[in-house]
Amino acid sequence: MKRFIGSVGTLAVGIALGAALYAYAPEFLRSGNAGQPANFVAVSEGIHTSGQPSAAQLGGLKDKGYGLIINLAPPTTLGSISDEGMLVARTGISYLNIPVDWNGPRYEDFELFSSILKQQARVRFHLPLPGSV
């Protein structure tokens, strides 16, 4: 269990760092096509991270098997899409924005992100909730 928590922590830090670095990338580095967004990384079979996807890329995620998008960037981030949540929700994918302040990240943001990943793992692998066994 400690190894799992450590892995989730490492993953969360990696995703947060990648999103933070990308948040400040110039707009011209972002891709407007329907392929993979800039800085796409498949962390595992079920967890992927990237820079800001374009509207076209967001629209094609359902067809690629995505079921949940967690956006760690604040809505005021350069290059963000103002109606991103609505674009994603229209496709039938769940969307959550945890706006991390990169200059002062909060542990509560990490806890929320971690608990969502744990819940998704339970759903995906049909694991019982803690204390229910």
Side-chain angles (χ1 to χ4, degrees), residues 42-91:
V43 177
S44 70
E45 181 184 332
I47 298 175
H48 302 157
T49 184
S50 76
Q52 175 66 52
S54 68
Q57 291 165 333
L58 290 170
L61 293 177
K62 182 73 171 182
D63 295 337
K64 294 179 180 181
Y66 288 88
L68 172 66
I69 303 298
I70 302 174
N71 179 3
L72 298 177
T76 57
T77 300
L78 177 66
S80 65
I81 299 172
S82 62
D83 58 348
E84 180 172 291
M86 185 172 55
L87 287 171
V88 172
R90 282 184 187 153
T91 68

Side-chain angles (χ1 to χ4, degrees), residues 97-110:
N97 182 217
I98 304 173
V100 175
D101 176 1
W102 307 120
N103 295 317
R106 300 174 325 139
Y107 186 73
E108 293 82 9
D109 295 333
F110 170 75

Side-chain angles (χ1 to χ4, degrees), residues 2-133:
K2 288 182 182 181
R3 183 175 175 189
F4 175 75
I5 292 171
S7 296
V8 170
T10 301
L11 171 64
V13 169
I15 290 171
L17 288 174
L21 290 172
Y22 187 76
Y24 297 102
E27 183 66 27
F28 67 86
L29 292 176
R30 299 199 169 105
S31 172
N33 65 34
Q36 291 182 340
N39 302 320
F40 177 85
V41 176
V43 177
S44 70
E45 181 184 332
I47 298 175
H48 302 157
T49 184
S50 76
Q52 175 66 52
S54 68
Q57 291 165 333
L58 290 170
L61 293 177
K62 182 73 171 182
D63 295 337
K64 294 179 180 181
Y66 288 88
L68 172 66
I69 303 298
I70 302 174
N71 179 3
L72 298 177
T76 57
T77 300
L78 177 66
S80 65
I81 299 172
S82 62
D83 58 348
E84 180 172 291
M86 185 172 55
L87 287 171
V88 172
R90 282 184 187 153
T91 68
I93 298 174
S94 298
Y95 179 88
L96 175 64
N97 182 217
I98 304 173
V100 175
D101 176 1
W102 307 120
N103 295 317
R106 300 174 325 139
Y107 186 73
E108 293 82 9
D109 295 333
F110 170 75
E111 284 182 319
L112 176 58
F113 180 77
S114 296
S115 68
I116 291 165
L117 288 183
K118 288 175 192 173
Q119 180 61 33
Q120 289 299 308
R122 284 187 197 102
V123 169
R124 184 172 183 189
F125 298 111
H126 309 289
L127 300 173
L129 293 172
S132 65
V133 178

